[in-house]
Amino acid sequence: MEFQIKALPLEEVESKIVDGLLDHKSRLGYDIPKTDTTYISLAALNADSEIVGGVTAKISYGELHVSLLSVDKDLQGSGVGTALMNEIAAYGKAHQCHHISLTTFSYQAPEFYKKCGYSELGRIQDFPLKGVEKYFFVKYL
């Protein structure tokens, strides 16, 4: 069989890949429904309604994955990040998620996530740069 590899827009390729994966799982006897991903973004606002922190996440197949979290440097340690993570966990519970996953780097906040109740699943050394580690965390809801 002849074929070629070609870059195409995500919207052209992703649904075909998802359909293929779902078909494969079905043939193996797993009843995993096709699902649409839900994207979430929450912001912490100060008294002037300015964004001073935020978190973005997505829900897919009962997993809530935190993509981004940031708090203005002057407010770090003030409880804003913890409040955002508590709110995203409450959102996950309200939408029947069974766990939350996230990644962070050694120069970011692995200890913060541990204080928020996340368990470390593993690390990749020297990523994205030599001397840096990427951490993988989970919290079961």
Side-chain angles (χ1 to χ4, degrees):
M1 176 177 122
E2 281 191 44
F3 63 90
Q4 64 175 336
I5 306 295
K6 182 178 177 183
L8 293 173
L10 176 66
E11 54 275 0
E12 282 187 50
V13 179
E14 186 176 46
S15 64
K16 181 69 173 167
I17 294 170
V18 169
D19 287 346
L21 290 171
L22 291 173
D23 180 61
H24 175 73
K25 290 173 186 178
S26 177
R27 283 184 279 119
L28 294 175
Y30 294 98
D31 184 22
I32 301 174
K34 188 172 184 175
T35 184
D36 291 323
T37 300
T38 302
Y39 294 92
I40 307 113
S41 60
L42 303 174
L45 306 175
N46 66 13
D48 296 323
S49 295
E50 299 167 325
I51 297 174
V52 295
V55 61
T56 64
K58 68 178 183 175
I59 296 175
S60 182
Y61 294 109
E63 175 186 66
L64 189 151
H65 179 77
V66 173
S67 306
L68 301 169
L69 172 72
S70 180
V71 175
D72 286 359
K73 65 179 177 159
D74 295 337
L75 293 175
Q76 291 176 0
S78 70
V80 173
T82 300
L84 285 165
M85 292 305 292
N86 288 342
E87 192 65 29
I88 204 74
Y91 187 97
K93 285 180 184 177
H95 290 84
Q96 292 74 49
C97 294
H98 38 79
H99 69 275
I100 303 171
S101 66
L102 61 89
T103 62
T104 191
F105 296 102
S106 53
Y107 60 83
Q108 291 176 320
E111 293 306 314
F112 166 76
Y113 293 113
K114 289 177 185 176
K115 287 178 187 176
C116 288
Y118 289 77
S119 300
E120 182 182 330
L121 294 175
R123 301 179 195 186
I124 298 174
Q125 295 180 355
D126 296 327
F127 182 82
L129 304 168
K130 186 128 179 96
V132 175
E133 291 181 306
K134 181 177 183 177
Y135 289 72
F136 297 82
F137 283 98
V138 68
K139 181 176 185 176
Y140 294 95
L141 300 175

